[in-house]
Amino acid sequence: MLRKESIATEIFKNISLSQKEIELIEPKFHKVLVQKSEIILNVGEVVYDQYYVASGCLRIFYRDASGKEHTVQFAIADWWLSDYTAFFTTSKAIMTIECIQPSVLYRVSKKDMNFLYKNVPQTETFIRLKLEKAYAFFQKRILGTLYKTTKERYLDFVLTYPDIEKMVKNYHIASYLGVTTETLSRIRKEIIEN
Amino acid sequence: MLRKESIATEIFKNISLSQKEIELIEPKFHKVLVQKSEIILNVGEVVYDQYYVASGCLRIFYRDASGKEHTVQFAIADWWLSDYTAFFTTSKAIMTIECIQPSVLYRVSKKDMNFLYKNVPQTETFIRLKLEKAYAFFQKRILGTLYKTTKERYLDFVLTYPDIEKMVKNYHIASYLGVTTETLSRIRKEIIEN
DNA sequence: CGAAAATTTGACATGACTCAACTGGAGTGG
DNA sequence: CCACTCCAGTTGAGTCATGTCAAATTTTCG
């Protein structure tokens, strides 16, 4: 068996796994193919699973009382995705996950993650490090909303995530930055003119 | 030795630890007493440590190019605190940690945390769960900035953290919400009048 | 090509910011 | 015990960034 073909080593990059450990991991991850505009999680559904994104692009958004959508996060290759607030507590989703580009995902349940944490301890360390990165990422984003102008935050986004920018609509970016499409349009115009 | 007096069992609440494990944990945590307005982390210092707050109140803030302070987080009893972006990568702090009320902290280094993760695996699970909570917390906060009015976010803050609200100045809250003290003052007036 | 979706533009409203002045309370020293 | 100072908080006036609503334009895609 070629190691290259193992989804376990693709997902848990840079950690060393024995053949036996790989065989524990493999059956827990289920390949899922999703098409553009497909919804893989609806508000109100109990969240048992999270997804590893092998390729494509998705977003998770919240729909407020007035019907406006607010994109909380995008996910591209090698990112993990779920309504984590609900996933961590196995409760009902308050957000929707929508597929933006044809994607290949690997679904894994919380139950199986806990099995892996217990039986392949490196996976828990791996996920802890992922969570640490997410922490730093979120803090940076919050800090950005506190002191940066919308123009700066837009440029940050475009420079930091050029791959995402190519795959999503401007109104997705606007809803991620927390501004209207009109405002984003004017900011883009301003940038082009200068 | 009374278990009640063990800082290990206070910090790692609800996880079962053998006497031997407690003895591994204890010496890694160093008690620190800090006074009001004392700075325990300055911008530019390499961040080797994080702190467990036993009592008191602190805040971590970022000072932008124009000199304005932006409070990223408060910390009260049973919270953990550091410039995590720098702590996770053992790099230089970009934020300042200031003591707001006389506090009792327990300092622990990243090196010692890694020792504990390895030798007392329950601690890694404990921290992973803390990180999951932090993830959910940050996501909720980001979502709030996307669709809630300042008034709503202020009320959320006061209702969610009454203990913090009692201990901090209004200008701290304003800098946490990302508005000026004047705006917060007007919002408070509006709330009182209605 | 033609319809639907996405983006841009214009006019006006609104919420928050800036700057400046003022109020009220806590602490200090004569 | 009062006068003084300092600090936090409030209030007012003017400005600016962003929102809203409506319409025009451009792009996408069957």
Side-chain angles (χ1 to χ4, degrees):
Chain A
M1 183 188 179
L2 284 172
R3 278 292 173 84
K4 292 244 167 181
E5 291 174 17
S6 155
I7 183 62
T9 52
E10 185 189 328
I11 292 174
F12 295 104
K13 277 192 182 62
N14 303 322
I15 70 170
S16 83
L17 295 168
S18 68
Q19 193 57 36
K20 204 176 156 189
E21 286 168 336
I22 288 176
E23 281 159 20
L24 281 176
I25 295 170
E26 293 283 332
K28 305 303 187 192
F29 284 84
H30 307 281
K31 195 172 187 170
V32 182
L33 302 177
V34 272
Q35 294 308 311
K36 212 164 165 168
S37 86
E38 222 175 292
I39 304 292
I40 63 166
L41 179 68
N42 281 292
V43 172
E45 291 173 13
V46 175
V47 181
Y48 296 105
D49 304 309
Q50 67 177 333
Y51 297 90
Y52 172 82
V53 182
S55 68
C57 182
L58 304 95
R59 70 177 182 125
I60 178 161
F61 66 86
Y62 175 77
R63 186 173 281 117
D64 71 23
S66 74
K68 270 176 215 143
E69 295 178 359
H70 305 275
T71 300
V72 168
Q73 221 172 310
F74 295 105
I76 54 172
D78 200 36
W79 290 39
W80 296 71
L81 182 69
S82 190
D83 177 344
Y84 281 112
T85 305
F87 176 74
F88 291 144
T89 55
T90 316
S91 54
K92 286 179 184 173
I94 58 158
M95 297 195 274
T96 306
I97 298 181
E98 179 196 21
C99 183
I100 291 178
Q101 293 293 332
S103 304
V104 179
L105 312 178
Y106 287 88
R107 177 170 45 79
V108 59
S109 72
K110 186 183 163 81
K111 191 167 151 274
D112 288 340
M113 284 304 295
N114 284 331
F115 170 88
L116 293 177
Y117 292 155
K118 204 169 173 184
N119 296 285
V120 189
Q122 305 100 292
T123 61
E124 182 159 34
T125 303
F126 179 88
I127 292 292
R128 173 178 60 78
L129 292 169
K130 284 271 172 200
L131 283 166
E132 289 184 354
K133 282 204 187 101
Y135 189 105
F137 168 88
F138 274 135
Q139 193 160 72
K140 196 180 154 199
R141 185 165 167 202
I142 286 170
L143 196 49
T145 66
L146 290 178
Y147 80 94
K148 290 189 178 177
T149 63
T150 303
K151 193 196 221 169
E152 285 171 324
R153 290 188 298 116
Y154 173 67
L155 288 171
D156 278 1
F157 177 83
V158 171
L159 295 172
T160 314
Y161 306 108
D163 297 340
I164 295 177
E165 204 245 344
K166 278 173 222 145
M167 288 198 266
V168 305
K169 297 286 174 191
N170 282 339
Y171 65 79
H172 290 140
I173 300 176
S175 82
Y176 177 87
L177 297 174
V179 295
T180 59
T181 53
E182 293 93 331
T183 296
L184 182 57
S185 173
R186 287 174 184 121
I187 286 166
R188 286 160 54 80
K189 191 184 174 188
E190 224 182 292
I191 292 166
I192 293 163
E193 284 172 356
N194 299 338
Chain B
M1 184 188 179
L2 283 172
R3 276 292 172 83
K4 292 243 168 184
E5 290 174 18
S6 154
I7 184 62
T9 53
E10 185 189 327
I11 292 175
F12 296 105
K13 279 192 180 62
N14 303 321
I15 69 171
S16 83
L17 295 168
S18 68
Q19 193 57 38
K20 204 176 156 191
E21 286 168 336
I22 289 175
E23 280 160 21
L24 281 176
I25 296 169
E26 293 283 333
K28 306 302 187 192
F29 285 84
H30 307 280
K31 195 173 190 167
V32 182
L33 303 176
V34 271
Q35 294 309 312
K36 213 164 164 165
S37 85
E38 220 175 292
I39 304 292
I40 62 165
L41 179 68
N42 282 293
V43 172
E45 290 174 15
V46 175
V47 181
Y48 296 104
D49 304 310
Q50 65 177 335
Y51 297 90
Y52 172 82
V53 182
S55 67
C57 183
L58 304 95
R59 70 176 182 125
I60 178 160
F61 66 85
Y62 176 77
R63 185 173 281 118
D64 71 24
S66 75
K68 271 175 214 142
E69 294 177 1
H70 305 274
T71 299
V72 168
Q73 220 171 309
F74 295 105
I76 55 173
D78 198 36
W79 291 38
W80 296 71
L81 183 69
S82 189
D83 177 343
Y84 280 112
T85 304
F87 176 74
F88 292 144
T89 55
T90 316
S91 54
K92 286 179 184 174
I94 59 158
M95 297 195 272
T96 307
I97 298 179
E98 179 197 23
C99 183
I100 292 178
Q101 293 294 330
S103 304
V104 179
L105 312 177
Y106 287 89
R107 178 170 45 80
V108 59
S109 72
K110 185 183 162 83
K111 191 166 151 275
D112 287 341
M113 283 307 292
N114 284 331
F115 170 88
L116 293 177
Y117 293 155
K118 203 168 174 181
N119 296 284
V120 189
Q122 306 97 293
T123 61
E124 182 158 34
T125 302
F126 180 88
I127 292 292
R128 173 178 60 78
L129 292 169
K130 284 272 172 200
L131 283 166
E132 290 184 354
K133 283 203 188 100
Y135 189 107
F137 169 87
F138 274 135
Q139 192 157 338
K140 195 179 155 201
R141 186 164 168 204
I142 286 171
L143 196 48
T145 66
L146 290 179
Y147 80 95
K148 290 188 178 177
T149 63
T150 303
K151 193 196 222 171
E152 285 171 324
R153 291 189 296 118
Y154 173 67
L155 288 171
D156 277 1
F157 178 82
V158 171
L159 294 172
T160 313
Y161 307 106
D163 297 340
I164 296 177
E165 202 245 344
K166 277 174 222 146
M167 288 197 266
V168 305
K169 297 286 177 192
N170 281 340
Y171 63 80
H172 290 141
I173 299 176
S175 82
Y176 177 87
L177 296 175
V179 295
T180 58
T181 53
E182 293 94 331
T183 296
L184 182 58
S185 173
R186 286 175 185 121
I187 285 165
R188 285 160 55 80
K189 192 184 173 188
E190 223 182 291
I191 291 167
I192 294 162
E193 284 172 357
N194 298 337

